[in-house]
C-alpha cells in the first residue's frame, strides 16, 4: 500500500447522509461475528463462514492496518440507531494473485444481510473513494469481486471501477476492477 501524505493511526470519522464510517471497536465483535459467520454473506468471498477466532483476528487486522500503514478499514454504522452493519475500506493482504496488487489501494466492502439492497454499499463506497482520492491522489484503486456477485459488481461500476482483469484466486474465478 502506498504511503499516505497524512498518516492516520486510526480510521478517521466520515459521515454520509445515512451512515457513519468509523474505527472498529472491541464492542463490534458480537455483531461482526454474526455477519462473518453468515454463509450467505461470505458465499462470494471464501464461501466458508468465519469462526470466533477468525472474526477476532479480522477486528485486530482493522486496527493493525491503520497502525502500521496509515490506512485501512472502517466500520459501517447506521446514523439512525447507531447499528454496526458492515465493513469497508482499503486492504493490504499481500495476496498471492496475478496481477499483483502491490502499490495499489485494494478496496473492499461487506454488509450484513439486513443492510443489503438499501443503497448503503454505494453510499459508503462513494465516501471512501473520495477519501482515498484525497489522501492517495496518484494511486490506482482496485477491487476483486466474484463474477457471480452481481450486486457488488453494480456497486463497483457505479463508483467508477471498470473490469480490468479476470484471474483465479484460491482456485476460484475472480474479476479485478480498477479505478
Amino acid at each position: 500500500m502506498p504511503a499516505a501524505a497524512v498518516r492516520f493511526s486510526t480510521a478517521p470519522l466520515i459521515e454520509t447522509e445515512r451512515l457513519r464510517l468509523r474505527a472498529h471497536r472491541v464492542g463490534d465483535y458480537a455483531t461482526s461475528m454474526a455477519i462473518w459467520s453468515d454463509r450467505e454473506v461470505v458465499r462470494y468471498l471464501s464461501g466458508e463462514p468465519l469462526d470466533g477466532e477468525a472474526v477476532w483476528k479480522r477486528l485486530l487486522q482493522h486496527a493493525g492496518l491503520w497502525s502500521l500503514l496509515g490506512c485501512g478499514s472502517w466500520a459501517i454504522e447506521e446514523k439512525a440507531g447507531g447499528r454496526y452493519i458492515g465493513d469497508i475500506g482499503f486492504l493490504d493482504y499481500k495476496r498471492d494473485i496475478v496481477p499483483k496488487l502491490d502499490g495499489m489501494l485494494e478496496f473492499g466492502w461487506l454488509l450484513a444481510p439486513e443492510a443489503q439492497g438499501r443503497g448503503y454499499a454505494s453510499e459508503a463506497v462513494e465516501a471512501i473513494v473520495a477519501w482515498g482520492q484525497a489522501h492517495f491522489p496518484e494511486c490506482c484503486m482496485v477491487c476483486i469481486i466474484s463474477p457471480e456477485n452481481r450486486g457488488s459488481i453494480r456497486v463497483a461500476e457505479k463508483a467508477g471501477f471498470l473490469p480490468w482483469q479476470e484471474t483465479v484466486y484460491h482456485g476460484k474465478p475472480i474479476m479485478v476492477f480498477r479505478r
Side-chain angles (χ1 to χ4, degrees):
M1 186 174 295
V6 176
R7 189 177 169 97
F8 293 85
S9 60
T10 189
L13 179 65
I14 298 173
E15 294 196 17
T16 69
E17 182 181 336
R18 302 177 297 161
L19 302 173
R20 184 174 296 110
L21 310 174
R22 59 160 176 81
H24 288 85
R25 304 176 190 139
V26 170
D28 293 331
Y29 174 77
T31 304
S32 189
M33 181 68 197
I35 294 169
W36 284 95
S37 65
D38 186 314
R39 190 170 297 280
E40 189 63 23
V41 171
V42 299
R43 74 178 163 164
Y44 298 124
L45 300 173
S46 67
E48 294 298 319
L50 298 185
D51 63 14
E53 180 179 345
V55 169
W56 180 247
K57 286 178 182 178
R58 184 166 286 281
L59 281 174
L60 296 175
Q61 283 176 341
H62 292 313
L65 284 169
W66 285 102
S67 176
L68 293 174
L69 303 177
C71 189
S73 295
W74 286 260
I76 304 171
E77 181 180 277
E78 289 176 315
K79 278 185 177 177
R83 185 172 60 127
Y84 164 56
I85 58 170
D87 306 314
I88 188 168
F90 300 109
L91 319 167
D92 188 351
Y93 293 157
K94 305 291 184 210
R95 294 186 194 277
D96 186 15
I97 190 172
V98 175
K100 285 289 190 194
L101 305 179
D102 298 343
M104 299 180 201
L105 288 174
E106 183 185 344
F107 195 38
W109 59 90
L110 177 100
L111 288 174
E114 63 275 10
Q116 295 175 11
R118 301 172 69 185
Y120 285 161
S122 292
E123 189 173 327
V125 166
E126 181 181 337
I128 301 305
V129 164
W131 187 92
Q133 288 176 319
H135 294 89
F136 299 92
E138 297 178 14
C139 199
C140 176
M141 292 184 205
V142 295
C143 54
I144 61 174
I145 304 174
S146 165
E148 298 172 352
N149 190 345
R150 300 301 310 153
S152 283
I153 290 171
R154 280 191 302 277
V155 169
E157 289 175 337
K158 183 176 178 183
F161 287 89
L162 300 172
W164 176 43
Q165 303 263 337
E166 293 183 16
T167 189
V168 174
Y169 181 62
H170 289 189
K172 297 178 182 176
I174 201 85
M175 297 174 70
V176 182
F177 289 75
R178 184 166 77 173
R179 178 186 158 70

